[in-house]
Amino acid sequence: MNVLPFQAPPPTSDPAPYAALLEGLLEATWLVDGQSRCILAVNAAATRLLGVPPEQLLGQLVESLAQTPEDALFWQEAATDPRALLNSETMMRHADGHLLWVTRRITFIAPGESALPARGGYWLVAMYDQTRQRQSEDEREALVAELQATLESTADGILVADLAGRMRSFNRRFAAMWGIPVDLLRARDDEAVQLWMRRSVCEAGAYAARLAAIQDAPLLQSSDIIKLLDGRVLERVSLPQFSRGRPIGRVFSYRDLSEKLAASQRIEELAHSDMLTGLPNRRALGERIEYMKAVAKRESGLFALLNVDLDRFQQINETLGHSYGDRVLKEVAERLKDCLREVDSVARVSGDQFALLIHQADARGAEHAARRVQETMSRPFNFDTLSFTVTCSTGIALFPGDGSNADELMASAERAMHWVKESGRGGFHFHRPRKEVDLLSRMRLDHAMRQALQEGQFRLHFQPQLALSSGQVIGAEALIRWRDPLRGEISPSEFIPVAEESGFVVAIGEWVLQQAVEQASAWLRKGWRMPVAVNVSALQFQQSRFVDTVALALRSSGLPPALLELELTEGILLGDAEEALHRLKALAALGVCMSIDDFGTGYSSLAYLKRFPIQRLKIDRSFIQGLPADASDVGIVNAIIQMGQALRLHVIAEGVETEAQRDFLARAGCDEFQGFLYAPALDAAAFEERVWRSGKAPPGRSGRHLLGGLLG
């Protein structure tokens, strides 16, 4: 406390008796003279409170120590009204400068009311230090404010209750979440608030019972889901509140799960639904099949699965655009739903592929459903000014004959659908189990093939090709062979279809090409000029880098292109005629020879054959076996030979096993043949022994050169 210097009036009497009297008081006390307003006496408590020695206080005018306007007004009023009283909280300054909060009481003592000398009266100023209490209150208020701010900052609704269930605190989020009026909360009417909350939930009885059970167990931690009448869903988490290790109440936190549940439900719907058509997707279809399977087993019933694939749908996307394609898919989805019964269901399992699950259906019921699908799809699609028809291919699988679970049934129906595609599209077909094909065995065979290529288990054999006119060997067809360490010799007819199905035939084909040209190059370095024919699969031919692969093989081996022949199937040439023609011209520019293998087993267009740079036709062995007795084979072979002659193509027959077959082919005008009549496919060493050491192909000359320089 800063004491202002002033000239105090001389005391009118000795203050010692006053000080002795004040020391008996517990509060910090001043005794002020009623006439002079000077401090006559102070007790030790006052000097400790202000940190000022008594001599600095005695004789001071009390107005000089007034710290607030309230004090100044009081002493002004006391000058005219000695009966004035003051009882309030105020601030005083300690000698070191810090402020003190005190409760201050000023009381007038009239003459004769005390043992003090009778004069004009006295003022007794009593002060009680409230600084620590005030600091504690400020800290408590700050803590409460922080806690309230924390409660308000959370996204959860918070309600704090005591052990009796009475509300002690809450945040605005709690009030808004439950829609409780502000006035009701301010009134702190616990019963009214609880009644409001019970009336807001769907099952008020169960809610009240659960809340009572929670309150009866002070240490219980709980989590509950509460459904409100307005459709929202709340999660209530209840935790006990502790103070000094003892439970004093409970904290309830409420979280609105409505949006989260709606999002989860939407995610679940998306996981089971097709976004474009709104139909169930493949995952949902699998679950429905499993459910229907359980029902069928319980009721000894049947059901059918139809796989419906749109024919040439890609043309719609490429011609009209994907927006029209999407409109078609939506329309197809509606048509399929309309042609089903209520107990049946339809799903979209891929881009243009749908599946129909037909309840309680045997083969006849499945056929009726397939016919309804064909009928509804036969109606034209009309969009804007466009009108067109979209057909579909349908495969049918029956439970349990075609599969014991969802995956097997879907695979069976899809295989049946592909059979329809391969047979011309626009129809339906039942799945026919291929008992001779073990899918697991095919997987193992595919894996074994890949290992065989890495471990060098494949090898090449060469079957001689001879000129019918001279009997000279004019070429060799390279044929792959495989001896597995465990299975022994595996026929190409067994592993090549598996390789084509898995796509591994591309890697095998490249290996055969590389090995064949290297062997032909090795023979050429020995002075033996022998053309080598290599079979090319459809998938291998369609590779964008196929021409580059051929060129690289020739370049790395040093083999003249004229000594390489590529045998192509009719299907390769007719799949995309323009692209095939472009690729064939590129191969012809390299200088290689090309032939059509297995001619007569597919559909050939003479218009295309005229355009393709083809040098030879190979008659399939299936037409040779019946020669010369089978009239049909005779007619087909004669027709192929005559057509080859008309197109100025050489014709070679494969699979010749008898002299009668060879003689017939020679009379019919066939140019060349190969088959067991002369030799089976031989390894390189056996081929050299058989061909060159027998004199069938003179060293340094090629049999095909003897035919007029066909390849050179």
Side-chain angles (χ1 to χ4, degrees):
M1 176 177 178
N2 295 326
V3 180
L4 300 176
F6 73 102
Q7 295 297 324
T12 57
S13 62
D14 185 7
Y18 310 143
L21 181 64
L22 297 185
E23 286 300 333
L25 301 177
L26 297 178
E27 297 173 314
T29 309
W30 302 341
L31 183 65
V32 179
D33 182 71
Q35 291 182 350
S36 64
R37 302 288 191 271
C38 293
I39 298 176
L40 299 178
V42 296
N43 62 4
T47 59
R48 288 194 302 270
L49 175 67
L50 299 177
V52 178
E55 56 270 19
Q56 292 186 15
L57 292 175
L58 296 176
Q60 294 287 342
L61 285 174
V62 70
E63 287 89 342
S64 67
L65 301 178
Q67 296 295 315
T68 64
E70 182 184 24
D71 293 322
L73 290 174
F74 171 78
W75 292 114
Q76 290 177 9
E77 181 182 354
T80 59
D81 183 10
R83 301 294 178 178
L85 299 177
L86 181 63
N87 190 357
S88 66
E89 292 184 354
T90 188
M91 296 180 64
M92 303 192 74
R93 189 175 297 278
H94 192 271
D96 62 7
H98 76 271
L99 294 177
L100 303 172
W101 282 98
V102 298
T103 300
R104 184 265 323 275
R105 183 177 70 256
I106 304 177
T107 307
F108 179 74
I109 303 175
E113 295 181 0
S114 67
L116 298 176
R119 300 181 66 238
Y122 302 94
W123 296 99
L124 190 65
V125 181
M127 296 164 289
Y128 181 76
D129 189 0
Q130 298 284 355
T131 302
R132 290 187 178 180
Q133 180 179 347
R134 191 62 177 265
Q135 289 175 345
S136 298
E137 291 176 354
D138 290 344
E139 291 175 358
R140 185 165 57 251
E141 289 179 3
L143 180 59
V144 170
E146 291 177 1
L147 291 175
Q148 190 64 34
T150 301
L151 292 180
E152 295 297 343
S153 66
T154 180
D156 296 341
I158 303 297
L159 171 64
V160 182
D162 60 17
L163 291 177
R166 294 184 295 267
M167 290 188 303
R168 291 171 51 200
S169 183
F170 58 88
N171 63 358
R172 287 192 295 267
R173 177 62 178 159
F174 165 75
M177 189 177 293
W178 284 92
I180 304 175
V182 177
D183 294 341
L184 189 61
L185 287 169
R186 287 176 179 171
R188 295 284 178 169
D189 190 339
D190 295 283
E191 182 59 33
V193 172
Q194 292 296 341
L195 179 60
W196 179 282
M197 296 174 70
R198 285 196 300 271
R199 289 177 176 177
S200 301
V201 301
C202 291
E203 299 179 1
Y207 168 83
R210 177 59 176 164
L211 184 59
I214 293 174
Q215 291 178 345
D216 289 342
L219 301 181
L220 177 67
Q221 299 183 12
S222 66
S223 177
D224 304 283
I225 299 298
I226 302 173
K227 295 183 179 179
L228 303 185
L229 292 174
D230 60 8
R232 289 179 298 135
V233 178
L234 305 182
E235 178 189 27
R236 178 181 64 192
V237 176
S238 172
L239 297 174
Q241 186 181 34
F242 292 93
S243 177
R244 298 179 181 179
R246 299 180 61 184
I248 61 171
R250 184 168 292 279
V251 179
F252 296 93
S253 63
Y254 299 87
R255 178 168 297 180
D256 193 340
L257 300 180
S258 304
E259 293 184 2
K260 180 179 179 180
L261 292 177
S264 299
Q265 184 177 359
R266 179 58 178 161
I267 293 173
E268 186 68 15
E269 291 175 356
L270 292 176
H272 288 79
S273 301
D274 173 59
M275 295 184 63
L276 178 64
T277 64
L279 295 177
N281 59 13
R282 178 181 287 270
R283 177 180 176 183
L285 175 66
E287 294 177 357
R288 293 190 182 188
I289 291 176
E290 292 299 327
Y291 171 76
M292 194 166 289
K293 166 187 166 183
V295 173
K297 286 186 175 181
R298 184 174 62 249
E299 300 177 355
S300 299
L302 303 173
F303 65 88
L305 179 66
L306 277 60
N307 186 294
V308 180
D309 189 90
L310 305 185
D311 296 328
R312 300 184 177 89
F313 178 75
Q314 187 61 29
Q315 295 180 0
I316 296 176
N317 284 333
E318 294 176 352
T319 305
L320 304 179
H322 288 277
S323 60
Y324 270 94
D326 290 345
R327 294 174 67 180
V328 169
L329 292 173
K330 292 180 181 179
E331 176 68 20
V332 169
E334 293 300 321
R335 291 190 184 190
L336 293 178
K337 287 193 293 185
D338 292 342
C339 73
L340 294 179
R341 303 168 300 175
E342 291 186 1
V343 295
D344 303 329
S345 57
V346 58
R348 184 185 179 204
V349 295
S350 66
D352 61 345
Q353 194 173 125
F354 297 82
L356 281 63
L357 198 55
I358 312 300
H359 182 63
Q360 289 291 341
D362 55 9
R364 179 174 296 182
E367 181 177 346
H368 288 330
R371 292 191 185 279
R372 289 197 302 271
V373 170
Q374 297 296 325
E375 180 180 353
T376 192
M377 290 298 297
S378 66
R379 300 197 309 269
F381 288 78
N382 298 299
F383 296 124
D384 303 329
T385 59
L386 295 174
S387 180
F388 52 89
T389 300
V390 179
T391 62
C392 63
S393 300
T394 303
I396 305 172
L398 300 175
F399 176 84
D402 296 328
S404 59
N405 55 46
D407 290 338
E408 292 178 1
L409 277 174
M410 286 191 282
S412 296
E414 190 167 356
R415 283 195 294 269
M417 178 273 294
H418 284 301
W419 188 94
V420 179
K421 291 281 190 183
E422 296 169 359
S423 301
R425 301 181 176 87
F428 63 88
H429 186 72
F430 283 89
H431 174 256
R432 291 179 180 174
R434 298 173 59 184
K435 296 181 180 179
E436 74 279 4
V437 177
D438 184 345
L439 296 181
L440 183 58
S441 296
R442 294 173 72 90
M443 293 175 59
R444 291 172 175 168
L445 185 60
D446 180 71
H447 178 67
M449 277 191 301
R450 298 173 189 273
Q451 287 187 317
L453 185 60
Q454 293 179 356
E455 297 173 2
Q457 296 176 12
F458 290 120
R459 63 192 190 281
L460 283 188
H461 280 193
F462 301 88
Q463 186 170 46
Q465 297 175 332
L466 294 88
L468 278 165
S469 59
S470 64
Q472 293 289 331
V473 176
I474 51 124
E477 180 181 6
L479 300 170
I480 190 170
R481 295 292 183 264
W482 175 22
R483 174 178 288 278
D484 184 79
L486 299 177
R487 305 184 185 191
E489 200 71 32
I490 301 177
S491 171
S493 62
E494 181 179 351
F495 68 83
I496 291 298
V498 176
E500 290 177 340
E501 183 178 329
S502 66
F504 190 60
V505 71
V506 174
I508 292 179
E510 291 180 355
W511 180 86
V512 170
L513 174 66
Q514 186 66 40
Q515 295 297 313
V517 297
E518 287 181 0
Q519 182 60 64
S521 178
W523 284 334
L524 186 62
R525 289 192 295 271
K526 293 181 179 180
W528 299 333
R529 187 178 181 87
M530 180 61 62
V532 176
V534 175
N535 290 282
V536 177
S537 69
L539 189 59
Q540 183 183 4
F541 182 79
Q542 293 164 3
Q543 301 299 306
S544 59
R545 57 185 178 86
F546 176 68
V547 177
D548 294 335
T549 301
V550 174
L552 179 62
L554 292 171
R555 190 164 54 250
S556 61
S557 65
L559 183 71
L563 295 182
L564 174 63
E565 177 182 342
L566 301 178
E567 295 189 356
L568 313 170
T569 64
E570 295 175 73
I572 292 177
L573 306 180
L574 296 178
D576 187 341
E578 293 303 322
E579 177 65 23
L581 179 60
H582 173 75
R583 199 157 293 171
L584 289 174
K585 287 182 177 179
L587 291 170
L590 291 178
V592 302
C593 174
M594 286 167 285
S595 64
I596 297 181
D597 192 17
D598 300 334
F599 190 80
T601 59
Y603 173 78
S604 297
S605 169
L606 296 181
Y608 285 146
L609 289 178
K610 288 195 305 180
R611 299 172 60 192
F612 292 149
I614 301 296
Q615 286 79 36
R616 289 206 299 174
L617 299 179
K618 177 177 280 190
I619 305 175
D620 187 69
R621 67 177 64 249
S622 61
F623 303 124
I624 304 300
Q625 293 174 354
L627 295 179
D630 190 298
S632 297
D633 288 345
V634 169
I636 292 172
V637 171
N638 279 325
I640 293 174
I641 293 173
Q642 292 172 14
M643 183 175 64
Q645 292 173 346
L647 294 173
R648 297 183 180 179
L649 302 175
H650 275 72
V651 180
I652 180 172
E654 64 177 354
V656 177
E657 299 179 356
T658 67
E659 293 183 358
Q661 293 170 346
R662 181 194 60 189
D663 295 342
F664 172 84
L665 291 170
R667 292 193 302 270
C670 185
D671 300 299
E672 303 155 3
F673 80 95
Q674 66 184 78
F676 280 22
L677 177 62
Y678 177 73
L682 307 169
D683 60 39
F687 185 92
E688 296 172 7
E689 179 69 24
R690 179 65 186 269
V691 175
W692 279 284
R693 289 178 174 78
S694 66
K696 288 290 185 179
R701 300 186 62 194
S702 168
R704 288 191 187 156
H705 286 175
L706 299 177
L707 297 176
L710 176 63
L711 299 179

